[in-house]
Amino acid sequence: MVSSRDPALPEGESVALIPALIAAAVCAGFIRSGFLTLLFLVPLGVIVCGYNQKTFWLALAAAILGNGLLSLGLILSVQSVRQVFFWDILYFSLTALIYGWIMAPSKGARFLRFSRPFRFILGSVAEALFFFFILSTESEQGVLRNLLWSQAEAVTSLYISSSGADVVRRSLLEQYLTPQIILDTLRFVALRGGGVVSCLFVFFINRQLSFFAARFTRRGRAGMSEGGIAFFHAPPWLIWVLSFSLFLILGARLIKAEIPEIIAWNVLVISGVLYLAQGSGIIFYFLSRSSLPPFLRVLLNILMVFLILSPGINMLALGALALLGVAENWVPFRAPKSQGPSSTPGM
């Protein structure tokens, strides 16, 4: 499952100590910045794009150690929030290690070597399970639960205040848009693939911004680019997993079995994400191989970004890309076609 187009970091070069320590410091600073918290992995990604294996793992270890020392200092000075900083240390360390595995897998552990799209999926599943574990072990008055409740109250207040003088609309919003309903809806969606997709989105955004920052600083290496997705093919057997998960969802809902339904929904969403990557690969393949003028190529890329970021339209665009990926099970859009038996009998 290791892609030949998934470049590894060079190992024979010397360690760039100063860039590694700077990246670690910026990484630990971003996690406490508030606005840039979700982008704290970008400095590590820049090291991936511009330096070698030893420099990257030194930066990652220094970032984990630095964040741990900062958290320890805060724990000693603020005893009342000890549990919060414990989860902070664990979250930072786990997320950084997962991101490191996604971006720069070690050649030594062969059982952990997968192609990058599968590392994204498996890493996002591990991250989502970690969040669910925190929520399941936290008390009703825990910090994370209180934070989610305050955010839900803010959303409710915003929508109710936007109703203006419309008494009927205001009454309906107060009845059907309570903080508890919002949290229940979020829980329903998160358990059924939303949590995995959210973590996947965070990892993906950090990776893309890492590439952009590396190019901006002129540290990007050849091979560390988006070209790899143009050659990504989902496994032929995935179409059967997708089909079976649909039937399992329907069956689980009929017999009201929530746990099998949740598992089936996550399998369905993960399969859909892989086919979305395959559909995107088809588009990137034709854009990279076609003799389009540079201006038209840039215009098409901007159009794709616009479609993905436009509310409502983006769901149609992403659905179309996923269906395009599914269709490649029967129609060889790219040549040469991926090796392996057909995913359907008799084909």
mmCIF file of all heavy atoms in Angstrom, residues 146-186:
data_model
loop_
_atom_site.group_PDB
_atom_site.id
_atom_site.type_symbol
_atom_site.label_atom_id
_atom_site.label_comp_id
_atom_site.label_asym_id
_atom_site.label_seq_id
_atom_site.Cartn_x
_atom_site.Cartn_y
_atom_site.Cartn_z
ATOM 1 N N ASN A 146 -18.142 22.258 28.966
ATOM 2 C CA ASN A 146 -18.559 23.636 29.209
ATOM 3 C C ASN A 146 -18.238 24.534 28.018
ATOM 4 O O ASN A 146 -19.014 25.442 27.679
ATOM 5 C CB ASN A 146 -17.885 24.179 30.465
ATOM 6 C CG ASN A 146 -18.435 23.551 31.741
ATOM 7 O OD1 ASN A 146 -19.575 23.089 31.769
ATOM 8 N ND2 ASN A 146 -17.635 23.523 32.793
ATOM 9 N N LEU A 147 -17.082 24.287 27.383
ATOM 10 C CA LEU A 147 -16.717 25.075 26.214
ATOM 11 C C LEU A 147 -17.701 24.838 25.067
ATOM 12 O O LEU A 147 -18.154 25.791 24.413
ATOM 13 C CB LEU A 147 -15.294 24.717 25.774
ATOM 14 C CG LEU A 147 -14.777 25.404 24.503
ATOM 15 C CD1 LEU A 147 -14.729 26.914 24.694
ATOM 16 C CD2 LEU A 147 -13.406 24.862 24.118
ATOM 17 N N LEU A 148 -18.044 23.576 24.826
ATOM 18 C CA LEU A 148 -19.007 23.264 23.768
ATOM 19 C C LEU A 148 -20.377 23.869 24.077
ATOM 20 O O LEU A 148 -21.065 24.372 23.173
ATOM 21 C CB LEU A 148 -19.120 21.743 23.605
ATOM 22 C CG LEU A 148 -17.884 21.027 23.051
ATOM 23 C CD1 LEU A 148 -18.094 19.516 23.077
ATOM 24 C CD2 LEU A 148 -17.594 21.494 21.633
ATOM 25 N N TRP A 149 -20.776 23.827 25.349
ATOM 26 C CA TRP A 149 -22.072 24.388 25.733
ATOM 27 C C TRP A 149 -22.095 25.902 25.514
ATOM 28 O O TRP A 149 -23.084 26.454 25.013
ATOM 29 C CB TRP A 149 -22.374 24.058 27.188
ATOM 30 C CG TRP A 149 -23.728 24.542 27.635
ATOM 31 C CD1 TRP A 149 -24.031 25.729 28.222
ATOM 32 C CD2 TRP A 149 -24.969 23.845 27.481
ATOM 33 N NE1 TRP A 149 -25.375 25.825 28.462
ATOM 34 C CE2 TRP A 149 -25.983 24.685 28.017
ATOM 35 C CE3 TRP A 149 -25.332 22.609 26.968
ATOM 36 C CZ2 TRP A 149 -27.322 24.319 28.041
ATOM 37 C CZ3 TRP A 149 -26.668 22.234 26.997
ATOM 38 C CH2 TRP A 149 -27.646 23.081 27.520
ATOM 39 N N SER A 150 -21.000 26.578 25.868
ATOM 40 C CA SER A 150 -20.953 28.037 25.679
ATOM 41 C C SER A 150 -20.989 28.390 24.196
ATOM 42 O O SER A 150 -21.617 29.384 23.795
ATOM 43 C CB SER A 150 -19.693 28.605 26.334
ATOM 44 O OG SER A 150 -18.516 28.110 25.708
ATOM 45 N N GLN A 151 -20.329 27.588 23.358
ATOM 46 C CA GLN A 151 -20.373 27.838 21.914
ATOM 47 C C GLN A 151 -21.770 27.616 21.357
ATOM 48 O O GLN A 151 -22.250 28.383 20.509
ATOM 49 C CB GLN A 151 -19.374 26.919 21.203
ATOM 50 C CG GLN A 151 -17.920 27.195 21.517
ATOM 51 C CD GLN A 151 -17.474 28.578 21.084
ATOM 52 O OE1 GLN A 151 -17.789 29.023 19.988
ATOM 53 N NE2 GLN A 151 -16.766 29.275 21.955
ATOM 54 N N ALA A 152 -22.454 26.574 21.850
ATOM 55 C CA ALA A 152 -23.822 26.323 21.410
ATOM 56 C C ALA A 152 -24.757 27.439 21.837
ATOM 57 O O ALA A 152 -25.654 27.857 21.084
ATOM 58 C CB ALA A 152 -24.306 24.978 21.970
ATOM 59 N N GLU A 153 -24.561 27.963 23.049
ATOM 60 C CA GLU A 153 -25.372 29.095 23.515
ATOM 61 C C GLU A 153 -25.132 30.327 22.652
ATOM 62 O O GLU A 153 -26.066 31.089 22.345
ATOM 63 C CB GLU A 153 -25.044 29.401 24.968
ATOM 64 C CG GLU A 153 -25.621 28.403 25.957
ATOM 65 C CD GLU A 153 -25.307 28.782 27.391
ATOM 66 O OE1 GLU A 153 -24.238 29.410 27.614
ATOM 67 O OE2 GLU A 153 -26.123 28.480 28.285
ATOM 68 N N ALA A 154 -23.879 30.549 22.234
ATOM 69 C CA ALA A 154 -23.561 31.703 21.390
ATOM 70 C C ALA A 154 -24.247 31.587 20.033
ATOM 71 O O ALA A 154 -24.789 32.569 19.505
ATOM 72 C CB ALA A 154 -22.049 31.812 21.212
ATOM 73 N N VAL A 155 -24.241 30.371 19.465
ATOM 74 C CA VAL A 155 -24.913 30.161 18.169
ATOM 75 C C VAL A 155 -26.416 30.384 18.308
ATOM 76 O O VAL A 155 -27.052 31.035 17.461
ATOM 77 C CB VAL A 155 -24.615 28.744 17.641
ATOM 78 C CG1 VAL A 155 -25.470 28.433 16.414
ATOM 79 C CG2 VAL A 155 -23.141 28.604 17.307
ATOM 80 N N THR A 156 -27.007 29.848 19.373
ATOM 81 C CA THR A 156 -28.443 30.028 19.605
ATOM 82 C C THR A 156 -28.792 31.506 19.743
ATOM 83 O O THR A 156 -29.763 31.989 19.135
ATOM 84 C CB THR A 156 -28.863 29.272 20.879
ATOM 85 O OG1 THR A 156 -28.561 27.886 20.731
ATOM 86 C CG2 THR A 156 -30.353 29.437 21.131
ATOM 87 N N SER A 157 -28.022 32.221 20.534
ATOM 88 C CA SER A 157 -28.280 33.645 20.732
ATOM 89 C C SER A 157 -28.150 34.427 19.432
ATOM 90 O O SER A 157 -28.948 35.329 19.153
ATOM 91 C CB SER A 157 -27.302 34.199 21.775
ATOM 92 O OG SER A 157 -27.465 35.581 21.944
ATOM 93 N N LEU A 158 -27.179 34.073 18.601
ATOM 94 C CA LEU A 158 -26.973 34.770 17.328
ATOM 95 C C LEU A 158 -28.163 34.590 16.402
ATOM 96 O O LEU A 158 -28.657 35.554 15.797
ATOM 97 C CB LEU A 158 -25.690 34.252 16.672
ATOM 98 C CG LEU A 158 -25.343 34.847 15.307
ATOM 99 C CD1 LEU A 158 -25.067 36.332 15.438
ATOM 100 C CD2 LEU A 158 -24.144 34.120 14.690
ATOM 101 N N TYR A 159 -28.639 33.346 16.274
ATOM 102 C CA TYR A 159 -29.764 33.088 15.371
ATOM 103 C C TYR A 159 -31.058 33.711 15.893
ATOM 104 O O TYR A 159 -31.868 34.229 15.112
ATOM 105 C CB TYR A 159 -29.944 31.585 15.169
ATOM 106 C CG TYR A 159 -29.077 31.024 14.073
ATOM 107 C CD1 TYR A 159 -27.836 30.470 14.359
ATOM 108 C CD2 TYR A 159 -29.500 31.057 12.754
ATOM 109 C CE1 TYR A 159 -27.027 29.959 13.357
ATOM 110 C CE2 TYR A 159 -28.700 30.549 11.740
ATOM 111 C CZ TYR A 159 -27.467 30.006 12.049
ATOM 112 O OH TYR A 159 -26.667 29.516 11.044
ATOM 113 N N ILE A 160 -31.284 33.658 17.207
ATOM 114 C CA ILE A 160 -32.514 34.231 17.766
ATOM 115 C C ILE A 160 -32.520 35.751 17.610
ATOM 116 O O ILE A 160 -33.539 36.355 17.247
ATOM 117 C CB ILE A 160 -32.668 33.829 19.246
ATOM 118 C CG1 ILE A 160 -32.946 32.327 19.356
ATOM 119 C CG2 ILE A 160 -33.793 34.618 19.912
ATOM 120 C CD1 ILE A 160 -33.037 31.816 20.783
ATOM 121 N N SER A 161 -31.370 36.381 17.847
ATOM 122 C CA SER A 161 -31.304 37.840 17.702
ATOM 123 C C SER A 161 -31.463 38.277 16.250
ATOM 124 O O SER A 161 -31.939 39.389 15.975
ATOM 125 C CB SER A 161 -29.980 38.356 18.257
ATOM 126 O OG SER A 161 -28.885 37.818 17.537
ATOM 127 N N SER A 162 -31.096 37.395 15.294
ATOM 128 C CA SER A 162 -31.242 37.741 13.880
ATOM 129 C C SER A 162 -32.677 37.665 13.389
ATOM 130 O O SER A 162 -32.981 38.126 12.281
ATOM 131 C CB SER A 162 -30.373 36.811 13.025
ATOM 132 O OG SER A 162 -30.855 35.479 13.086
ATOM 133 N N SER A 163 -33.581 37.099 14.210
ATOM 134 C CA SER A 163 -34.987 36.993 13.799
ATOM 135 C C SER A 163 -35.699 38.335 13.845
ATOM 136 O O SER A 163 -36.764 38.502 13.244
ATOM 137 C CB SER A 163 -35.715 35.989 14.694
ATOM 138 O OG SER A 163 -35.706 36.426 16.042
ATOM 139 N N GLY A 164 -35.128 39.298 14.554
ATOM 140 C CA GLY A 164 -35.696 40.644 14.591
ATOM 141 C C GLY A 164 -37.051 40.675 15.257
ATOM 142 O O GLY A 164 -37.277 40.067 16.306
ATOM 143 N N ALA A 165 -37.985 41.378 14.600
ATOM 144 C CA ALA A 165 -39.318 41.566 15.177
ATOM 145 C C ALA A 165 -40.293 40.469 14.781
ATOM 146 O O ALA A 165 -41.469 40.526 15.140
ATOM 147 C CB ALA A 165 -39.868 42.932 14.757
ATOM 148 N N ASP A 166 -39.829 39.474 14.050
ATOM 149 C CA ASP A 166 -40.700 38.371 13.629
ATOM 150 C C ASP A 166 -40.963 37.468 14.833
ATOM 151 O O ASP A 166 -40.129 36.632 15.205
ATOM 152 C CB ASP A 166 -40.032 37.594 12.500
ATOM 153 C CG ASP A 166 -40.988 36.611 11.827
ATOM 154 O OD1 ASP A 166 -41.957 36.191 12.492
ATOM 155 O OD2 ASP A 166 -40.769 36.270 10.659
ATOM 156 N N VAL A 167 -42.152 37.616 15.430
ATOM 157 C CA VAL A 167 -42.475 36.888 16.670
ATOM 158 C C VAL A 167 -42.567 35.395 16.420
ATOM 159 O O VAL A 167 -42.089 34.581 17.229
ATOM 160 C CB VAL A 167 -43.798 37.419 17.261
ATOM 161 C CG1 VAL A 167 -44.151 36.641 18.529
ATOM 162 C CG2 VAL A 167 -43.702 38.906 17.553
ATOM 163 N N VAL A 168 -43.173 34.985 15.302
ATOM 164 C CA VAL A 168 -43.353 33.557 15.015
ATOM 165 C C VAL A 168 -42.007 32.872 14.824
ATOM 166 O O VAL A 168 -41.744 31.800 15.386
ATOM 167 C CB VAL A 168 -44.237 33.375 13.760
ATOM 168 C CG1 VAL A 168 -44.339 31.897 13.390
ATOM 169 C CG2 VAL A 168 -45.617 33.966 13.997
ATOM 170 N N ARG A 169 -41.138 33.499 14.018
ATOM 171 C CA ARG A 169 -39.827 32.911 13.774
ATOM 172 C C ARG A 169 -39.014 32.840 15.062
ATOM 173 O O ARG A 169 -38.339 31.845 15.320
ATOM 174 C CB ARG A 169 -39.075 33.743 12.732
ATOM 175 C CG ARG A 169 -37.723 33.157 12.362
ATOM 176 C CD ARG A 169 -36.981 34.064 11.405
ATOM 177 N NE ARG A 169 -35.664 33.531 11.100
ATOM 178 C CZ ARG A 169 -34.734 34.182 10.431
ATOM 179 N NH1 ARG A 169 -34.993 35.423 9.995
ATOM 180 N NH2 ARG A 169 -33.564 33.642 10.198
ATOM 181 N N ARG A 170 -39.100 33.884 15.864
ATOM 182 C CA ARG A 170 -38.368 33.901 17.131
ATOM 183 C C ARG A 170 -38.845 32.801 18.059
ATOM 184 O O ARG A 170 -38.042 32.118 18.714
ATOM 185 C CB ARG A 170 -38.539 35.257 17.802
ATOM 186 C CG ARG A 170 -37.651 35.462 19.030
ATOM 187 C CD ARG A 170 -37.888 36.829 19.649
ATOM 188 N NE ARG A 170 -36.948 37.085 20.729
ATOM 189 C CZ ARG A 170 -35.752 37.628 20.577
ATOM 190 N NH1 ARG A 170 -35.341 37.977 19.370
ATOM 191 N NH2 ARG A 170 -34.960 37.828 21.619
ATOM 192 N N SER A 171 -40.152 32.578 18.099
ATOM 193 C CA SER A 171 -40.710 31.526 18.945
ATOM 194 C C SER A 171 -40.262 30.142 18.488
ATOM 195 O O SER A 171 -39.918 29.276 19.304
ATOM 196 C CB SER A 171 -42.236 31.611 18.947
ATOM 197 O OG SER A 171 -42.799 30.554 19.688
ATOM 198 N N LEU A 172 -40.231 29.920 17.157
ATOM 199 C CA LEU A 172 -39.794 28.622 16.623
ATOM 200 C C LEU A 172 -38.309 28.379 16.917
ATOM 201 O O LEU A 172 -37.917 27.259 17.267
ATOM 202 C CB LEU A 172 -40.054 28.565 15.118
ATOM 203 C CG LEU A 172 -41.525 28.480 14.691
ATOM 204 C CD1 LEU A 172 -41.647 28.583 13.178
ATOM 205 C CD2 LEU A 172 -42.150 27.169 15.179
ATOM 206 N N LEU A 173 -37.503 29.434 16.774
ATOM 207 C CA LEU A 173 -36.078 29.281 17.048
ATOM 208 C C LEU A 173 -35.828 28.976 18.521
ATOM 209 O O LEU A 173 -34.981 28.142 18.858
ATOM 210 C CB LEU A 173 -35.329 30.557 16.642
ATOM 211 C CG LEU A 173 -35.179 30.812 15.137
ATOM 212 C CD1 LEU A 173 -34.539 32.167 14.878
ATOM 213 C CD2 LEU A 173 -34.346 29.708 14.483
ATOM 214 N N GLU A 174 -36.554 29.649 19.404
ATOM 215 C CA GLU A 174 -36.390 29.398 20.835
ATOM 216 C C GLU A 174 -36.823 27.986 21.213
ATOM 217 O O GLU A 174 -36.311 27.408 22.170
ATOM 218 C CB GLU A 174 -37.196 30.426 21.628
ATOM 219 C CG GLU A 174 -36.627 31.833 21.561
ATOM 220 C CD GLU A 174 -37.503 32.839 22.281
ATOM 221 O OE1 GLU A 174 -38.654 32.475 22.621
ATOM 222 O OE2 GLU A 174 -37.045 33.979 22.516
ATOM 223 N N GLN A 175 -37.756 27.427 20.432
ATOM 224 C CA GLN A 175 -38.259 26.091 20.747
ATOM 225 C C GLN A 175 -37.391 24.986 20.154
ATOM 226 O O GLN A 175 -37.166 23.953 20.798
ATOM 227 C CB GLN A 175 -39.701 25.955 20.229
ATOM 228 C CG GLN A 175 -40.330 24.606 20.548
ATOM 229 C CD GLN A 175 -41.764 24.513 20.062
ATOM 230 O OE1 GLN A 175 -42.319 25.492 19.521
ATOM 231 N NE2 GLN A 175 -42.377 23.359 20.240
ATOM 232 N N TYR A 176 -36.899 25.191 18.932
ATOM 233 C CA TYR A 176 -36.213 24.111 18.217
ATOM 234 C C TYR A 176 -34.712 24.341 18.037
ATOM 235 O O TYR A 176 -34.039 23.495 17.442
ATOM 236 C CB TYR A 176 -36.846 23.913 16.834
ATOM 237 C CG TYR A 176 -38.275 23.430 16.895
ATOM 238 C CD1 TYR A 176 -39.329 24.293 16.600
ATOM 239 C CD2 TYR A 176 -38.566 22.115 17.257
ATOM 240 C CE1 TYR A 176 -40.648 23.849 16.656
ATOM 241 C CE2 TYR A 176 -39.883 21.669 17.321
ATOM 242 C CZ TYR A 176 -40.911 22.538 17.029
ATOM 243 O OH TYR A 176 -42.222 22.104 17.093
ATOM 244 N N LEU A 177 -34.199 25.477 18.515
ATOM 245 C CA LEU A 177 -32.767 25.737 18.387
ATOM 246 C C LEU A 177 -32.169 26.043 19.759
ATOM 247 O O LEU A 177 -31.613 27.108 20.001
ATOM 248 C CB LEU A 177 -32.519 26.907 17.431
ATOM 249 C CG LEU A 177 -31.072 27.067 16.927
ATOM 250 C CD1 LEU A 177 -30.666 25.874 16.073
ATOM 251 C CD2 LEU A 177 -30.915 28.355 16.125
ATOM 252 N N THR A 178 -32.288 25.084 20.651
ATOM 253 C CA THR A 178 -31.716 25.217 21.987
ATOM 254 C C THR A 178 -30.275 24.692 21.981
ATOM 255 O O THR A 178 -29.884 23.915 21.097
ATOM 256 C CB THR A 178 -32.534 24.422 23.006
ATOM 257 O OG1 THR A 178 -32.448 23.022 22.676
ATOM 258 C CG2 THR A 178 -33.996 24.858 22.982
ATOM 259 N N PRO A 179 -29.452 25.106 22.951
ATOM 260 C CA PRO A 179 -28.082 24.579 23.024
ATOM 261 C C PRO A 179 -28.029 23.051 23.103
ATOM 262 O O PRO A 179 -27.145 22.426 22.512
ATOM 263 C CB PRO A 179 -27.532 25.223 24.303
ATOM 264 C CG PRO A 179 -28.294 26.490 24.437
ATOM 265 C CD PRO A 179 -29.678 26.176 23.943
ATOM 266 N N GLN A 180 -28.988 22.440 23.804
ATOM 267 C CA GLN A 180 -28.988 20.992 23.924
ATOM 268 C C GLN A 180 -29.256 20.320 22.584
ATOM 269 O O GLN A 180 -28.628 19.311 22.232
ATOM 270 C CB GLN A 180 -30.048 20.553 24.941
ATOM 271 C CG GLN A 180 -29.995 19.069 25.272
ATOM 272 C CD GLN A 180 -28.655 18.663 25.868
ATOM 273 O OE1 GLN A 180 -28.196 19.264 26.829
ATOM 274 N NE2 GLN A 180 -28.022 17.654 25.290
ATOM 275 N N ILE A 181 -30.186 20.892 21.800
ATOM 276 C CA ILE A 181 -30.469 20.328 20.473
ATOM 277 C C ILE A 181 -29.256 20.464 19.566
ATOM 278 O O ILE A 181 -28.920 19.541 18.805
ATOM 279 C CB ILE A 181 -31.694 21.034 19.856
ATOM 280 C CG1 ILE A 181 -32.962 20.640 20.620
ATOM 281 C CG2 ILE A 181 -31.844 20.678 18.378
ATOM 282 C CD1 ILE A 181 -34.218 21.349 20.135
ATOM 283 N N ILE A 182 -28.555 21.613 19.646
ATOM 284 C CA ILE A 182 -27.361 21.806 18.831
ATOM 285 C C ILE A 182 -26.287 20.787 19.194
ATOM 286 O O ILE A 182 -25.675 20.157 18.314
ATOM 287 C CB ILE A 182 -26.831 23.244 19.004
ATOM 288 C CG1 ILE A 182 -27.795 24.251 18.383
ATOM 289 C CG2 ILE A 182 -25.443 23.381 18.377
ATOM 290 C CD1 ILE A 182 -27.385 25.685 18.590
ATOM 291 N N LEU A 183 -26.061 20.579 20.492
ATOM 292 C CA LEU A 183 -25.041 19.625 20.919
ATOM 293 C C LEU A 183 -25.421 18.194 20.552
ATOM 294 O O LEU A 183 -24.572 17.394 20.154
ATOM 295 C CB LEU A 183 -24.815 19.742 22.426
ATOM 296 C CG LEU A 183 -24.134 21.029 22.898
ATOM 297 C CD1 LEU A 183 -23.973 21.021 24.413
ATOM 298 C CD2 LEU A 183 -22.777 21.209 22.228
ATOM 299 N N ASP A 184 -26.712 17.860 20.677
ATOM 300 C CA ASP A 184 -27.161 16.520 20.286
ATOM 301 C C ASP A 184 -26.962 16.290 18.792
ATOM 302 O O ASP A 184 -26.575 15.188 18.357
ATOM 303 C CB ASP A 184 -28.637 16.328 20.653
ATOM 304 C CG ASP A 184 -28.853 16.222 22.155
ATOM 305 O OD1 ASP A 184 -27.864 15.958 22.878
ATOM 306 O OD2 ASP A 184 -30.000 16.412 22.609
ATOM 307 N N THR A 185 -27.222 17.324 17.987
ATOM 308 C CA THR A 185 -27.026 17.212 16.544
ATOM 309 C C THR A 185 -25.555 17.048 16.199
ATOM 310 O O THR A 185 -25.183 16.220 15.355
ATOM 311 C CB THR A 185 -27.599 18.453 15.831
ATOM 312 O OG1 THR A 185 -28.979 18.600 16.161
ATOM 313 C CG2 THR A 185 -27.448 18.331 14.315
ATOM 314 N N LEU A 186 -24.713 17.848 16.870
ATOM 315 C CA LEU A 186 -23.276 17.725 16.640
ATOM 316 C C LEU A 186 -22.770 16.341 17.021
ATOM 317 O O LEU A 186 -21.937 15.756 16.319
ATOM 318 C CB LEU A 186 -22.532 18.802 17.433
ATOM 319 C CG LEU A 186 -22.648 20.238 16.920
ATOM 320 C CD1 LEU A 186 -21.949 21.197 17.874
ATOM 321 C CD2 LEU A 186 -22.050 20.362 15.524
#
